[in-house]
Amino acid sequence: MTRKDVSTMCFRPAAMNSEKKCPQCGESNVTTAETCSACGAALPTALAPPSAPGAPGAPSAPGAPKAPAAPGVSGMSRA
């Protein structure tokens, strides 16, 4: 693999938004702000990063095996 091939395969995560938008007035604020710099309204406490799609659930474990049936007494009688 050449150096050029490696550079084109580089993974770069999506850029994170470095601002919070005020739900009251729409002003952009730094992510660490707790209140809006323009109107003083409370800002959301945390921005959740975009989540990856959920993985399918694991298959359920098989049940415990059943005990074998007791052997039948056929044609014999106890005296």
Side-chain angles (χ1 to χ4, degrees):
M1 197 177 277
T2 67
R3 187 172 195 79
K4 184 176 182 181
D5 293 335
V6 173
S7 66
T8 58
M9 294 173 31
C10 180
F11 170 76
R12 293 189 182 170
M16 295 300 291
N17 189 1
S18 61
E19 296 181 340
K20 286 184 187 177
K21 193 167 219 175
C22 176
Q24 193 76 23
C25 71
E27 181 71 19
S28 292
N29 294 275
V30 294
T31 55
T32 56
E34 294 180 5
T35 58
C36 177
S37 61
C39 70
L43 297 174
T45 55
L47 292 175
S51 61
S60 60
K66 294 183 179 178
V73 181
S74 60
M76 299 176 112
S77 61
R78 294 189 177 189

